[in-house]
Amino acid sequence: MQPNFMRGKSPDKVKKIPDQGRGERVPAGQYVTQKFPVLSYGPTPQIDLKTWSLRVFGLVDRPLELTWAQFLGQGLTTLNSDFHCVTQWSALDQTWEGIPFSAVVGPAMPKAEATFVMAHSYGGYTTNIPLDVCMEEGFFAHKQNGQEMGKDHGWPLRLLIPSRYAWKSAKWVNGIELMPQDAPGFWEQRGYNNNADPWKEERFWPELNR
Ligand SMILES: Nc1nc2c(c(=O)[nH]1)N[C@H]1C(S)=C(S)[C@@H](COP(=O)(O)O)O[C@H]1N2
Ligand SMILES: [Mo]
């Protein structure tokens, strides 16, 4: 039977290849693809680096608003991670260049009461993530596989959360809001699972899977 999350979607839209025996690298219900499809709600925003900024606000002692030069000045590192999209494709071994979440948000001095993050993007997209997950693995990327991030994939900056389905990896990120409690983001308000762990196949809210 076609699972719920596939209804209305054509599985042929994404070219699939077998996972070549790397089963344990690939969560259940996912296929490995060499392609990196674009999935956005709404158009790709037009962003000018001269006016770009990244705000860190909410429950912080020292709110920040970084320019592009200030952002880059913090020291670039790389991250290698797999990328799992809820529409069932996984792209393995992506190399990202950028700056860890903790290095950017730490200096804003999150208050002890801050437990959740809302990532905000140009265009109005939002997604919610626990603060401890962001601190542990969150990564602001501006390059993917050695190239400037594609405009449709979030240029100039994307917040990656590798352990969660890809809708938690906000493209065109421009704001990090620290919150006292959880609150659903754009897709989470529309029935996507709040936690989004691909290893548990947390795709949609359980009550919608009937
Ligand atoms: N700002 C923003 N970020 C977003 C989205 C979006 O519509 N807007 N879509 C999400 C979803 S549902 C997915 S599956 C991934 C897709 O990333 P990609 O287009 O780079 O493959 O981005 C996520 N981040
Ligand atoms: Mo998605």
Side-chain angles (χ1 to χ4, degrees):
M1 205 192 88
Q2 210 186 23
N4 254 357
F5 55 85
M6 291 296 292
R7 257 176 227 155
K9 295 212 166 93
S10 161
D12 304 327
K13 275 198 193 137
V14 177
K15 187 168 176 273
K16 293 165 180 174
I17 62 162
D19 72 20
Q20 293 163 333
R22 308 172 83 173
E24 81 284 359
R25 286 275 314 267
V26 184
Q30 297 293 114
Y31 291 85
V32 175
T33 176
Q34 304 302 324
K35 297 236 171 83
F36 205 98
V38 172
L39 287 158
S40 307
Y41 184 87
T44 294
Q46 296 300 311
I47 298 173
D48 183 347
L49 287 184
K50 288 197 217 74
T51 53
W52 179 94
S53 76
L54 176 69
R55 284 178 68 217
V56 182
F57 63 102
L59 286 178
V60 290
D61 283 337
R62 217 179 127 239
L64 298 176
E65 183 164 5
L66 301 173
T67 65
W68 185 245
Q70 287 168 333
F71 174 78
L72 288 183
Q74 299 178 95
L76 297 167
T77 57
T78 58
L79 169 77
N80 185 276
S81 64
D82 299 342
F83 192 92
H84 306 296
C85 177
V86 73
T87 60
Q88 293 195 288
W89 56 272
S90 291
L92 303 182
D93 287 320
Q94 300 298 301
T95 303
W96 310 91
E97 183 184 292
I99 301 178
F101 180 97
S102 57
V104 175
V105 175
M109 301 173 68
K111 292 182 190 291
E113 310 89 84
T115 55
F116 274 82
V117 165
M118 188 69 80
H120 295 263
S121 296
Y122 285 96
Y125 186 84
T126 55
T127 188
N128 54 307
I129 311 131
L131 177 58
D132 56 353
V133 171
C134 288
M135 285 294 191
E136 175 119 337
E137 61 167 287
F139 191 84
F140 291 103
H142 78 119
K143 284 190 178 174
Q144 179 178 7
N145 300 330
Q147 314 223 292
E148 206 62 25
M149 175 114 34
K151 283 208 161 133
D152 294 335
H153 292 294
W155 182 92
L157 199 66
R158 165 169 219 167
L159 175 59
L160 291 164
I161 307 292
S163 74
R164 306 300 156 110
Y165 283 122
W167 81 80
K168 297 280 188 188
S169 289
K171 307 195 272 192
W172 315 298
V173 63
N174 69 354
I176 297 298
E177 179 183 2
L178 287 95
M179 308 189 294
Q181 72 242 324
D182 199 5
F186 179 85
W187 281 121
E188 293 84 1
Q189 289 167 32
R190 288 162 177 78
Y192 280 38
N193 186 283
N194 199 53
N195 194 51
D197 182 346
W199 298 97
K200 299 181 184 154
E201 282 209 73
E202 293 174 332
R203 297 175 192 271
F204 289 80
W205 287 109
E207 50 270 46
L208 296 177
N209 280 337
R210 278 192 215 123

